Amino acid sequence: DILSRLYRYHLSQGGSALPQDLNSVQNIMTLKEFSGDTLRDIITSVLEKYQDVNPIQYNDVISRMFNTRLENPKGLAKNVIKMMQAFRNKPEDGKLKLGSMLKVVDIDIINFLWGKLIGMSDLRDVEKELSELEFQIQPGKGADSITRQLLGENVAKMQGEFSAKYRYNEGKNKISLHFEVSKKKAHGVAGFNMGVCVAPDRQLWNNPDFMNLIIWNEEGIALGGMHIFIIEDAGKKYVTLPGINPSTNLMTKVNADDIFNNLMTYALKLNTALGYDGVLIPTSSSIHSNRSEVQRVISSRRYESKTLTTTHPFSYSPEYSFNMAYVVTEVATVAKETHQYAMESGDDTVVKNPTLDQSQNGGIDLTPDRLNMDVNADGRIKFNVDPAMLQKLQDMPGFSPVILRVSPIASVRNFLGLNDGIQPVR
């Protein structure tokens, strides 16, 4: 009954209807994203309205949904000491064990507790620490909990099983996407197809270190994006990504690995252009993405985690902050895992990663949809030359080309792929 009511609310707010059958990969992906992401967004919206109408009752209900203190801390203390001694030299395994023992899933809390408890051996000290431990209910946890209860305990296994089994094949059609970093007020509404909207958060928008990266298609329609937040920590500056949320529409058409790779390639180039010290993704899944497929991709990358020296507040309505982050690897490492696939139906699409596979022979790839160039109406190519970059290149060492193969061609236009209707990627 609750699910049907939420679905009617979804439709009344202009949401798309679910497919009537599951006879295609796209229909299955649409249902998968609805159960994994969209439903949570709907519940979040309903809870926000509940909080506005009756904040006292709302806070009472949410507080009763979660335990803010550990159950039986004295009974846990002895086992915690034994476990931490056994896993002292295997902290990653030990943290998983600690989270299981304390029934804590938030990786930031687990890392904090490990750092506090690892140096303790006295039973009374550990008992005191666990007894005084009090958890704050994180924003969005209510929606997460209700979503899990509605969908059942096997939903995570179902999501993971499907992700492991579906396969994208090369499609004949391509999508050309354009990334834009923006602080324009009109672009704030792009957050609505990111599963989160920061438009009302005036304090966040007024922060010069916050920007929105929007994914545009060729028709100028926003397909989600990601938040970019510049932080300074221990004397270094980082590009952090607290919110990687392509639209569900894009996620049903393109492999999540491809979307993620392109976004990370852009973020790494942005970091280089700014001269900063790296790209970080908050480790907490409730912050780094609302998309289950993006969460899966981030988890699969096995990025090294980094503990920041301070806790960095990100948003204020609702409040989010982070002090643990994954360190994004270099473009070449990311490119090795790129999957250049598309879905199996006739109108499917693909995002091409512009990076080159370093394991292949060198050369110049003249495929039009890989060339970063603009074409004028008369067919001539318009080159945008950065004078500063040109000055840097003047001091570059020379190179000797190696001819791998010589092939006769009948038509230069055909060789360059200019007659197949493919548009250059911007």
Side-chain angles (χ1 to χ4, degrees), residues 386-404:
D386 182 355
M389 181 61 69
L390 193 61
Q391 181 65 36
K392 288 183 179 180
L393 293 176
Q394 288 179 352
D395 297 325
M396 291 289 286
F399 64 93
S400 300
V402 177
I403 299 175
L404 302 176

Side-chain angles (χ1 to χ4, degrees), residues 176-179 216-219 371-374 424-426:
S176 178
L177 299 176
H178 173 65
F179 296 167
W216 302 101
N217 68 7
E218 290 179 300
E219 287 74 41
L371 293 177
N372 185 21
M373 61 186 183
D374 296 323
V425 173
R426 289 175 290 173

Side-chain angles (χ1 to χ4, degrees), residues 203-220:
Q203 186 174 352
L204 178 63
W205 277 104
N206 288 338
N207 187 337
D209 293 326
F210 167 77
M211 291 155 279
N212 227 5
L213 183 144
I214 304 171
I215 304 173
W216 302 101
N217 68 7
E218 290 179 300
E219 287 74 41

Side-chain angles (χ1 to χ4, degrees), residues 47-66:
L47 289 180
E48 287 174 352
K49 294 183 185 299
Y50 180 22
Q51 186 177 21
D52 290 340
V53 172
N54 197 331
I56 296 176
Q57 190 178 52
Y58 168 83
N59 290 331
D60 179 62
V61 170
I62 293 297
S63 64
R64 285 189 280 111
M65 288 177 61
F66 301 96

Side-chain angles (χ1 to χ4, degrees), residues 123-142:
L123 182 63
R124 286 173 296 183
D125 290 340
V126 176
E127 285 180 357
K128 183 174 181 294
E129 192 66 40
L130 296 180
S131 298
E132 294 178 352
L133 192 64
E134 185 173 0
F135 301 107
Q136 289 185 338
I137 302 171
Q138 290 186 330
K141 288 296 184 182

